[in-house]
Amino acid sequence: MDSKIIENYETAAKVHELCRKRARDFIQPGVKLLDIAEEIEALTQKHGCGIAFPLNLSLNDVAAHYTPSEKDETRVSTGDVLKVDIGVHKNGYLVDAAITLDFAQTKETKNLITATQAALEAGFSTIQEGVEVGTIGRAIETSLRSFGVDPIANLSGHGIDEYTAHCSPSIPNVDTGETDVLENGQAYAMEPFASIHGNGRISDAGIVEIFEVNGLVPGIRNVNARKLLDFCAETYDGLPFAERWIARDLDMSAFARKTALRELVKYGALEAHGVLKEKKGAIVAQFETTMLINKGKVIRLV
Ligand code: MN
Ligand code: MN
C-alpha cells in the first residue's frame, strides 16, 4: 500500500475521531436526529474530508441504514439505544466506524454494550494477513454468547476500496466456516452487531433513505429521473447518498423526486439501501472499526 494512500486513511481516521467525540457530546435525549446528522456531516466537511455515506442513526430495534429524512422530527429519548455509524473519506480512502450510545442505562443494555465492544476486540485479536473470515466470525460469536447476547447473523463486516464503501469479502459475525482470507494491501471494516429480545436476524423494514448510483442505464424516459441520476452521479462520487441531500441540493419537487427515485431503483440505475430492522422490541448494538493490512502489519484506524 502506497504511503500516500495510508496518509489519506490516517487523515480520514483523525476526522472520524473528531466526529465520534462530537457525537458523544452533542447527542443527548431531546436532540433531533436531523440536527445530529447535519452537525456531524458538516463537521466532516469542515475538516477537509468527504462524507463517505450519510450518517446512520439507527434506534433500538433498527440495526442499520436509517438516516433522517429532510423533515424528520424524530428525537432521541431517554430509554433509547442509538447506533451512530459514521463514514469519512479523504480522496476516496474511507473510514467506516460506529459506536452505540446507551440512553437506557439498564443492566441489560449496559451488558449489551459491553458485550458488543468486547466482541469487536475479540474479533480484532484474530486479525492478521491470511486469517480466514470464518475464524473472525467465530471469535466474535463466541465472545457475544459468553455475555448472553445474540450475534446478528445476517449482518457482516466487509472490505473497503477506493471510493467503495463495501467490497468482498464479507466478515461475518458468526462462525460461518467461510475460508476467504484477509489480504495484504487491503482495508477492512469489522462490525459486530448484537441484540437482546430479538431473533439474531435483521430484515428489510421497507423504508429507504439511502441510495447509491449503480450506473447510467439507457432507456429511462422520465425527464426528472434522468436529471436526478445525472445529478447524483456527478455530485456523490459513486458513494451512498441520502434522499435528504437531494432535497437540499437539487431543485425538484418532493413528488417528482420520489417518483424519480422509485423509477431509478426499478431500472437498476440506483441501488436502494433499505432500513434493516431486528424483531419489534429487540435492542441492537453495533461497534465498528476500520483497519488496514500493510506489509504484513495490521494498522487499526479507529
Ligand atoms: Mn458502518
Ligand atoms: Mn461497515
Side-chain angles (χ1 to χ4, degrees):
M1 207 175 261
D2 193 270
S3 65
K4 270 273 178 320
I5 295 177
I6 295 175
E7 259 174 52
N8 281 318
Y9 275 118
E10 285 173 341
T11 302
K14 274 188 197 128
V15 175
H16 200 288
E17 187 180 3
L18 295 177
C19 290
R20 294 196 308 283
K21 277 200 177 120
R22 184 67 187 135
R24 287 188 186 280
D25 289 342
F26 188 77
I27 303 175
Q28 300 296 336
V31 173
K32 264 192 207 176
L33 297 188
L34 183 57
D35 293 338
I36 301 167
E38 287 176 350
E39 174 76 14
I40 300 301
E41 290 171 0
L43 187 67
T44 303
Q45 292 178 316
K46 187 183 146 198
H47 287 280
C49 282
I51 303 165
F53 50 79
L55 187 71
N56 281 217
L57 292 167
S58 304
L59 281 166
N60 305 321
D61 53 7
V62 176
H65 295 174
Y66 188 85
T67 199
S69 58
E70 80 273 22
K71 287 177 186 153
D72 208 309
E73 291 294 326
T74 313
R75 290 173 191 271
V76 179
S77 302
T78 308
D80 279 344
V81 170
L82 176 65
K83 279 72 65 190
V84 184
D85 195 336
I86 308 170
V88 174
H89 78 86
K90 184 70 180 175
N91 298 322
Y93 298 100
L94 64 98
V95 171
D96 173 9
I99 55 174
T100 300
L101 302 177
D102 177 12
F103 298 104
Q105 291 287 319
T106 65
K107 203 172 153 195
E108 58 176 6
T109 59
K110 285 183 191 169
N111 180 60
L112 174 66
I113 302 288
T114 305
T116 315
Q117 271 176 315
L120 183 70
E121 299 312 315
F124 186 74
S125 72
T126 69
I127 301 295
Q128 55 176 326
E129 184 183 350
V131 67
E132 292 184 358
V133 296
T135 303
I136 306 169
R138 183 166 66 238
I140 291 172
E141 176 172 12
T142 305
S143 178
L144 288 173
R145 293 208 188 280
S146 75
F147 286 86
V149 304
D150 294 320
I152 307 264
N154 57 345
L155 280 173
S156 53
H158 48 89
I160 292 175
D161 219 329
E162 197 180 350
Y163 285 106
T164 305
H166 290 103
C167 65
S168 64
S170 279
I171 301 181
N173 292 321
V174 291
D175 184 5
T176 57
E178 286 168 289
T179 56
D180 298 322
V181 295
L182 300 197
E183 287 171 13
N184 197 46
Q186 266 295 315
Y188 298 97
M190 182 176 51
E191 49 184 316
F193 283 85
S195 67
I196 50 176
H197 307 307
N199 47 27
R201 299 192 72 80
I202 47 88
S203 55
D204 207 303
I207 304 163
V208 185
E209 295 291 347
I210 300 175
F211 298 86
E212 188 173 341
V213 174
N214 267 339
L216 304 174
V217 302
I220 297 168
R221 294 249 180 114
N222 181 315
V223 172
N224 284 319
R226 287 209 309 264
K227 181 178 164 189
L228 191 147
L229 182 61
D230 286 344
F231 175 80
C232 294
E234 274 170 30
T235 312
Y236 303 127
D237 296 323
L239 290 164
F241 57 88
E243 183 176 348
R244 153 172 67 82
W245 296 355
I246 308 172
R248 180 191 62 199
D249 300 338
L250 181 68
D251 185 22
M252 186 180 284
S253 76
F255 178 78
R257 180 180 75 236
K258 288 189 184 299
T259 308
L261 284 169
R262 215 171 21 245
E263 178 139 336
L264 290 166
V265 170
K266 194 181 80 187
Y267 273 92
L270 289 184
E271 188 176 338
H273 294 289
V275 171
L276 303 174
K277 211 165 174 270
E278 240 278 19
K279 197 173 102 182
K280 192 173 166 55
I283 303 173
V284 180
Q286 171 205 18
F287 282 88
E288 180 175 21
T289 189
T290 293
M291 59 225 169
L292 312 176
I293 301 182
N294 185 53
K295 296 181 182 155
K297 260 181 56 190
V298 180
I299 303 172
R300 185 168 177 169
L301 293 169
V302 172

